[in-house]
Amino acid sequence: MPEKLKLAVIGAGISGLAAAIELADKGCKVAVFEKNPSYGGRGQMIERNGFKFDLGPSWYWMPDVFERFFQDYGKSTSDYYELLRLDPSYQIIFSNETIQIPAEIHETYALFEQIEPGSSVFLEKFLKEAKYKYEVGMQEFVRKPALQISEFLSIRLLKSVFSMELFSSLEAAVFKGVKNDKLRKLLCFPVLFLGAKPSETPALYSLMNYADLILGSWYPKGGMIKLFEALYLIAIEKGVQFHFNTAVEKINIENKTVNGIRIAGKDLYFDAVLSTADYHHTDTALVDSKYRQYSNSYWEDRTMAPSALIFYLGINKRIDHLLHHNLFFNSGFEKHTAEIYDTKVWPEEPLFYACVPSKTDLSVAPPGSENLFLLVPIASGIKDSLDQQDRIFEYLLDQLETHTGQEIRSSICFKESMCVHDFEQAYNSFKGNAYGLANTLKQTSILKPRIRHNKVKGLYFAGQLTHPGPGLPPSLISGQISAKQILKDYKYEF
């Protein structure tokens, strides 16, 4: 019987967990090294004073992607957590109106028609096209390793190029069919928080609207941590070894071939290494300069998705007029977008997102209390500033108090925050980004950083800075396809 392939995975976030599961399932000996004290990466949870806060991702979209992954290993998400569908899915708060998005699509069509007569006809056609993009995109397009153009030259994918609308913008597609400004914002918001300006995001990403309005918004009871906990338990069952509080100091390379990693000054042998840590950090800090995959100018030329200013608040009373997911769009959408991507300055009157999971799940807050998560997208690479954070915090509370009609400040019994510097410290995040690379045409598929090193045999990558991109489902897929590429390259038989 051949000796098992011995592999090191750097990082225990969602892509690292996915990769470890795939590799161990196929008989490899897998060790995961994580610099932080627990699994989950950006999806870890903190517990303070009876409050439970998911630190990062809070939207559970594309449930079919997660279910397919679990089924690949003989499992189901329901084996590990209960999924609840949110209805309404979320609400958008404008300066003079609040719009709640229903879970049922026929109710959404009625909502569009009420706001702009005739718009439901466009929306139905738009979502039909988005469904096609979702099915081809999420089932085929994103599951390629994106190492060479020939992967995408199948007859089916070639026929799909124009239907996928890679070369026109999401904004153009939306603005053509909808005239009402609020409905335009509703259809454009998913890409603002996850990648780029709607005017620079390929219309391909209307697949996000299909995920939103058709597949719906869900919540794993107990918090998003339940997803990461489930993946960790599957990995343990498969025999994966985890080493927490263990930062990798160096990836050892000899004769252009990986031969292991260095931990606390000690060299450990591995046949190959898959880094799901920040790609830029791996390329610049863990690999000798002569083996770097990309230059400094390459990284500086990348268009980054936003960073974020996040506040985790424990409120010792219940708050009215908020749902589980709330988008505050009562200021300038275009102005804030420009502050993120063009001028790269601290926003004056930002759009923001408020998540109140205690509206759905009483277990995440003490009785009679609310768990409140506030997020403001800001420019990656911006100079962090406590003064700016404090100013924005006061602005957010003003907006919340105006909307809810309640005094909130005096009821805050717990507060922590996270911003650019914290992303850099916790995750070695390039420019403190929260969401990876922007989903622009020039940074799609084979134009993203590669999952396999060009110069070094045995070094691979996964995560939100590489294909297929940011967000939980793409990052999960990224770990799986990188693992499959290792198995293919090593012709590993099991």
Side-chain angles (χ1 to χ4, degrees):
M1 184 175 179
E3 188 174 342
K4 288 185 176 182
L5 200 60
K6 190 176 180 182
L7 302 170
V9 175
I10 303 175
I14 191 166
S15 56
L17 292 168
I21 290 168
E22 170 65 18
L23 293 166
D25 183 68
K26 302 305 184 289
C28 301
K29 187 174 181 180
V30 183
V32 177
F33 299 87
E34 169 58 55
K35 72 184 285 288
N36 291 310
S38 180
Y39 56 83
R42 295 165 194 248
Q44 296 175 69
M45 174 177 274
I46 59 171
E47 298 189 33
R48 303 284 191 273
N49 305 339
F51 294 93
K52 298 177 182 179
F53 295 95
D54 288 308
L55 288 182
S58 59
W59 293 81
Y60 195 107
W61 277 4
M62 306 183 187
D64 57 307
V65 172
F66 298 111
E67 187 60 32
R68 171 176 170 175
F69 180 88
F70 278 67
Q71 288 183 1
D72 282 347
Y73 308 102
K75 308 289 185 181
S76 171
T77 54
S78 61
D79 296 334
Y80 297 91
Y81 50 84
E82 180 185 358
L83 270 183
L84 306 173
R85 183 159 188 178
L86 305 182
D87 189 10
S89 297
Y90 54 91
Q91 64 182 359
I92 302 180
I93 295 136
F94 297 99
S95 58
N96 60 351
E97 185 181 10
T98 296
I99 298 177
Q100 295 188 348
I101 311 306
E104 294 296 330
I105 188 58
H106 70 272
E107 295 180 22
T108 304
Y109 291 142
L111 173 67
F112 268 65
E113 197 64 24
Q114 177 186 345
I115 295 172
E116 180 183 327
S119 63
S120 65
V121 177
F122 161 76
L123 181 62
E124 188 169 2
K125 180 176 182 291
F126 179 75
L127 291 178
K128 182 178 180 181
E129 294 170 352
K131 178 183 180 182
Y132 176 82
K133 295 172 191 175
Y134 183 85
E135 291 174 344
V136 175
M138 297 306 295
Q139 302 305 323
E140 297 184 48
F141 190 77
V142 302
R143 295 180 185 274
K144 306 287 186 182
L147 292 172
Q148 50 195 8
I149 192 65
S150 60
E151 297 168 27
F152 303 95
L153 298 184
S154 70
I155 297 298
R156 176 169 165 79
L157 287 182
L158 282 175
K159 287 181 177 178
S160 301
V161 168
F162 293 104
S163 298
M164 298 287 275
E165 294 188 291
L166 280 167
F167 306 109
S168 59
S169 76
L170 177 67
E171 182 179 273
V174 169
F175 281 30
K176 181 180 178 181
V178 174
K179 305 306 177 189
N180 181 273
D181 186 58
K182 292 171 183 174
L183 294 182
R184 286 177 168 182
K185 289 179 171 61
L186 191 164
L187 293 175
C188 286
F189 102 82
V191 302
L192 175 65
F193 282 79
L194 290 178
K197 292 193 295 185
S199 60
E200 295 179 4
T201 300
L204 160 69
Y205 288 99
S206 66
L207 64 85
M208 296 290 289
N209 299 109
Y210 176 78
D212 170 9
L213 300 176
I214 301 293
L215 300 182
S217 297
W218 299 76
Y219 173 78
K221 192 173 181 181
M224 297 293 289
I225 190 63
K226 290 297 182 181
L227 167 63
F228 300 96
E229 180 183 273
L231 295 172
Y232 174 71
L233 291 173
I234 294 172
I236 291 292
E237 183 182 315
K238 299 289 183 185
V240 177
Q241 293 184 335
F242 286 84
H243 305 270
F244 298 114
N245 294 308
T246 307
V248 173
E249 297 172 350
K250 185 181 180 183
I251 297 172
N252 296 325
I253 300 168
E254 187 175 347
N255 297 324
K256 298 183 179 180
T257 303
V258 163
N259 64 10
I261 58 176
R262 182 169 298 166
I263 304 288
K266 182 180 179 181
D267 291 332
L268 304 176
Y269 174 79
F270 290 95
D271 295 301
V273 173
L274 170 56
S275 178
T276 68
D278 181 271
Y279 201 122
H280 173 266
H281 171 74
T282 304
D283 198 31
T284 59
L286 302 186
V287 173
D288 286 339
S289 58
K290 65 181 178 180
Y291 294 123
R292 281 188 60 177
Q293 177 103 307
Y294 299 106
S295 66
N296 287 332
S297 61
Y298 171 89
W299 287 111
E300 289 302 321
D301 285 343
R302 296 309 92 190
T303 301
M304 304 306 299
S307 182
L309 169 58
I310 306 173
F311 295 102
Y312 310 95
L313 306 177
I315 311 297
N316 63 13
K317 67 179 182 183
R318 302 294 283 181
I319 304 175
D320 298 330
H321 307 301
L322 291 178
L323 301 180
H324 189 123
H325 296 305
N326 310 269
L327 297 161
F328 280 77
F329 283 7
N330 46 2
S331 58
F333 189 97
E334 292 76 15
K335 185 174 187 296
H336 188 186
T337 303
E339 289 166 334
I340 295 172
Y341 295 107
D342 299 332
T343 56
K344 294 181 170 49
V345 297
W346 283 90
E348 291 183 17
E349 297 180 330
L351 313 176
F352 68 99
Y353 161 60
C355 181
V356 195
S358 48
K359 293 295 184 187
T360 303
D361 185 355
L362 295 178
S363 73
V364 300
S369 301
E370 298 280 26
N371 172 320
L372 180 57
F373 169 108
L374 303 176
L375 182 148
V376 177
I378 58 176
S380 292
I382 199 170
K383 185 178 179 181
D384 215 335
S385 164
L386 291 178
D387 288 342
Q388 291 286 359
Q389 291 184 36
D390 290 342
R391 176 185 65 80
I392 289 177
F393 181 65
E394 293 302 319
Y395 173 81
L396 302 186
L397 289 181
D398 287 344
Q399 299 299 312
L400 283 167
E401 291 183 344
T402 297
H403 173 71
T404 62
Q406 293 175 263
E407 201 279 331
I408 295 175
R409 284 175 171 83
S410 63
S411 300
I412 298 173
C413 58
F414 172 79
K415 175 189 174 187
E416 281 192 16
S417 63
M418 193 163 192
C419 200
V420 178
H421 178 71
D422 303 296
F423 282 101
E424 292 171 340
Q425 292 296 110
Y427 313 121
N428 295 311
S429 179
F430 180 51
K431 294 187 176 182
N433 80 82
Y435 300 108
L437 288 176
N439 282 323
T440 63
L441 178 58
K442 292 180 180 179
Q443 294 178 167
T444 295
S445 186
I446 61 171
L447 301 179
K448 288 186 185 292
R450 293 164 53 89
I451 68 167
R452 183 177 64 198
H453 203 289
N454 270 335
K455 303 175 182 177
V456 176
K457 181 182 179 183
L459 181 53
Y460 298 81
F461 304 86
Q464 62 181 11
L465 284 180
T466 188
H467 176 74
L472 287 179
S475 292
L476 181 83
I477 292 169
S478 174
Q480 195 177 36
I481 61 176
S482 292
K484 289 179 182 292
Q485 190 63 45
I486 293 174
L487 297 170
K488 179 181 178 182
D489 289 349
Y490 280 80
K491 298 179 174 61
Y492 194 64
E493 297 180 0
F494 46 88

